[in-house]
């Protein structure tokens, strides 16, 4: 009896040691926290505070929570004190650190003292003038940089024409960016009890220059007296920071779970792995290769798609998404994804059950 107990304890120890060992080996995710503005660039100015100071406090708190509570996250800051950092350097820090996520933290302002609430942006074409105005305001910080016109290829932050390129662009990280944005806005409204103005898209240079999923958070309006008082308070900053932290945690946890599911060899013989040509069942999981996102509808006959089969369109967050190929096995989808790299370097696999998009992790269950 006694020996059995000792054996059990030994086994538990071995399992624990192995588990710890596995966790140590797990690749860390890098999250870049970008406190907007700094130095001579104050950002928006309120009655009692400046945007650059409030966003620095919030950013440092987000980083502190991530460092303290998430073993598998490595935090990189674009600034940790009151210094001026050019937009392109912020993006370079994120790109050089091969970050998994970039979160730029800002505070909104308006000529009127009425508007209030939070909003989180992903890169993309703006749907209305007020979204464009937010992007213009945040992009205009480049005029603090010498030779900004050269560095940003003639981009004029105040000219509407300069924003046309964002309506044409296809961003391979858009789905992930929109997911993070929606997690942040949900946390703001449900947990921090803020008024959420929702997830939006506009042409932010700093997001455009980053090569990973990236969002820009406007934590409230400095021009609104009540919100400025809240955002200037320690408690307000802690609530806002913990909401952003929880959203990042949710995203990183999903990303990690997805990668673990893909590494799991067992998925090869799951029911989803059925040979092509069998009777189709609407409830079966189907894998497709997403190649393109667009705010404008694209026809099946477009030269981009003409040489591929199983063209499929769906919409998400008011954006048209286009996929090619149709597979019942993830591995077959992966082969096609690899084979179309020349035409679609950023193509990725998406999964559907019926007409509902599901996560790859769920598809492989
Ligand atoms: Zn700002």
């Amino acid at each position: 009896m006694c020996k059995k107990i000792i054996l059990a304890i030994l086994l538990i120890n071995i399992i624990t040691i192995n588990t710890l060992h596995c966790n140590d080996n797990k690749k860390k995710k890098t999250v870049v926290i970008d406190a907007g503005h700094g130095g001579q660039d104050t950002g928006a100015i309120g009655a009692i505070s400046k945007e650059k100071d409030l966003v620095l406090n919030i950013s440092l708190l987000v980083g502190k929570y991530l460092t303290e509570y998430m073993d598998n996250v490595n935090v990189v800051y674009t600034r940790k004190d009151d210094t001026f950092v050019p937009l392109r350097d912020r993006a370079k820090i994120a790109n050089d650190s091969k970050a998994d996520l970039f979160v730029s933290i800002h505070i909104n302002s308006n000529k009127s003292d009425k508007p209030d609430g939070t909003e989180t942006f992903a890169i993309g074409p703006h749907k209305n003038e007020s979204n464009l105005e937010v992007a213009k305001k945040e992009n205009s910080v480049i005029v603090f940089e010498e030779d900004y016109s050269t560095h940003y290829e003639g981009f004029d932050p105040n000219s509407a024409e300069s924003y046309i390129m964002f309506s044409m662009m296809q961003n391979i990280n858009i789905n992930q960016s929109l997911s993070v944005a929606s997690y942040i806005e949900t946390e703001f409204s449900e947990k921090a009890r803020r008024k959420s103005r929702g997830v939006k898209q506009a042409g932010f240079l700093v997001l455009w220059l980053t090569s990973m999923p990236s969002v820009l958070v406007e934590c409230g309006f400095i021009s609104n007296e009540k919100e400025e008082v809240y955002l200037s308070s320690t408690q307000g900053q802690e609530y806002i920071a913990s909401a952003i932290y929880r959203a990042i945690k949710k995203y990183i946890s999903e990303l990690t779970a997805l990668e673990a599911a893909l590494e799991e060899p067992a998925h090869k013989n799951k029911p989803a792995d059925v040979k092509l040509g069998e009777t189709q069942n609407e409830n079966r999981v189907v894998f497709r290769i997403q190649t393109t996102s667009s705010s404008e509808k694209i026809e099946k006959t477009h030269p981009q798609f003409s040489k591929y089969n199983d063209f499929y369109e769906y919409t998400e967050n008011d954006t048209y998404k286009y996929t090619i190929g149709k597979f019942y096995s993830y591995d077959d989808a992966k082969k096609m994804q690899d084979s179309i790299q020349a035409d679609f370097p950023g193509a990725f696999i998406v999964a559907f059950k019926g007409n509902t998009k599901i996560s790859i992790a769920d598809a492989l269950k």
Side-chain angles (χ1 to χ4, degrees):
M1 186 71 178
C2 198
K3 274 183 186 169
K4 275 183 185 168
I5 292 171
I6 291 168
L7 189 64
I9 291 170
L10 274 175
L11 271 175
I12 289 166
N13 278 338
I14 290 166
I15 291 164
T16 313
I17 289 162
N18 279 339
T19 312
L20 286 173
H21 184 68
C22 286
N23 285 342
D24 283 348
N25 286 343
K26 210 160 57 182
K27 187 183 165 288
K28 276 200 168 194
K29 299 293 172 204
T30 298
V31 177
V32 174
I33 303 295
D34 175 47
H37 315 278
Q40 69 266 37
D41 168 16
T42 58
I45 296 180
I48 56 166
S49 64
K50 292 179 185 135
E51 179 184 358
K52 68 169 184 175
D53 300 323
L54 304 185
V55 296
L56 180 61
N57 289 349
I58 293 168
S59 297
L60 293 175
L61 279 173
V62 174
K64 178 172 171 265
Y65 299 150
L66 286 169
T67 308
E68 277 179 13
Y69 304 124
M70 292 194 75
D71 292 346
N72 63 333
V73 167
N74 172 35
V75 175
V76 173
Y77 298 94
T78 54
R79 70 176 178 103
K80 290 178 83 173
D81 51 27
D82 186 20
T83 47
F84 177 75
V85 184
L87 279 193
R88 64 180 194 282
D89 290 0
R90 295 169 190 264
K92 190 173 186 309
I93 290 168
N95 295 341
D96 287 351
S97 62
K98 301 200 173 357
D100 298 281
L101 179 64
F102 177 85
V103 179
S104 190
I105 298 178
H106 290 258
I107 288 171
N108 233 329
S109 76
N110 195 283
K111 287 184 194 107
S112 159
D113 60 4
K114 297 282 180 301
D116 60 351
T118 65
E119 51 195 23
T120 301
F121 286 87
I123 190 83
H126 52 271
K127 287 261 155 60
N128 57 47
E129 284 303 305
S130 70
N131 293 356
L132 174 62
E133 286 310 310
V134 179
K136 276 185 176 176
K137 182 165 59 68
E138 300 296 5
N139 290 338
S140 68
V141 299
I142 62 172
V143 301
F144 285 99
E145 301 175 30
E146 278 178 28
D147 284 341
Y148 77 84
S149 181
T150 320
H151 290 308
Y152 298 96
E153 296 166 23
F155 184 89
D156 177 354
N158 294 310
S159 144
E161 283 74 47
S162 280
Y163 290 81
I164 290 172
M165 67 175 181
F166 297 110
S167 65
M168 312 293 288
M169 67 175 295
Q170 294 162 11
N171 184 290
I172 58 166
N173 296 311
I174 194 64
N175 286 341
Q176 292 94 322
S177 301
L178 290 169
S179 292
V180 177
S182 76
Y183 296 163
I184 292 174
E185 285 304 312
T186 302
E187 286 289 339
F188 277 155
S189 64
E190 290 181 5
K191 303 278 175 52
R193 304 272 169 214
R194 307 309 298 161
K195 173 183 158 185
S196 169
R197 300 163 67 93
V199 171
K200 301 181 173 185
Q201 286 180 270
F204 290 89
L205 278 178
V206 74
L207 302 183
W208 181 58
L209 295 167
T210 53
S211 54
M212 70 287 308
S214 55
V215 294
L216 187 142
V217 191
E218 297 281 0
C219 304
F221 282 79
I222 206 167
S223 44
N224 178 288
E225 190 186 340
K226 218 172 150 189
E227 284 207 328
E228 187 186 15
V229 169
Y230 176 82
L231 291 165
S232 303
S233 70
T234 306
Q235 196 196 43
Q237 291 174 2
E238 285 171 354
Y239 270 65
I240 291 289
S242 55
I244 297 172
Y245 153 72
R246 283 192 302 269
I248 295 174
K249 184 182 173 194
K250 180 172 162 63
Y251 175 73
I252 295 292
S253 303
E254 281 183 0
L255 189 64
T256 311
L258 171 64
E259 286 175 358
L262 294 179
E263 277 172 18
E264 179 61 59
H267 77 259
K268 286 184 179 169
N269 295 316
K270 289 285 169 68
D273 187 12
V274 184
K275 295 277 178 297
L276 276 167
E278 287 180 19
T279 313
Q280 286 199 20
N281 174 344
E282 275 305 297
N283 283 324
R284 262 166 64 187
V285 171
V286 171
F287 297 96
R288 301 175 188 275
I289 319 296
Q290 185 164 322
T291 59
T292 311
S293 286
S294 171
S295 58
E296 306 294 331
K297 201 172 169 66
I298 302 176
E299 294 305 321
K300 185 181 180 176
T301 49
H302 191 282
Q304 192 180 21
F305 301 117
S306 56
K307 66 175 171 178
Y308 295 104
N309 295 326
D310 296 307
F311 173 89
Y312 178 77
E313 174 195 283
Y314 72 102
T315 54
E316 196 174 48
N317 298 306
D318 294 336
T319 306
Y320 295 100
K321 311 279 171 82
Y322 294 94
T323 72
I324 52 178
K326 183 180 181 186
F327 304 94
Y328 297 106
S329 128
Y330 179 85
D331 295 334
D332 288 341
K334 184 83 185 71
K335 278 179 204 150
M336 177 162 183
Q337 181 195 15
D338 293 341
S339 73
I340 60 166
Q341 280 299 307
D343 285 349
F344 301 105
F348 55 94
I349 301 172
V350 284
F352 294 84
K353 197 164 190 179
N355 287 323
T356 308
K357 190 180 159 199
I358 60 172
S359 74
I360 300 289
D362 283 343
L364 294 174
K365 270 178 194 164

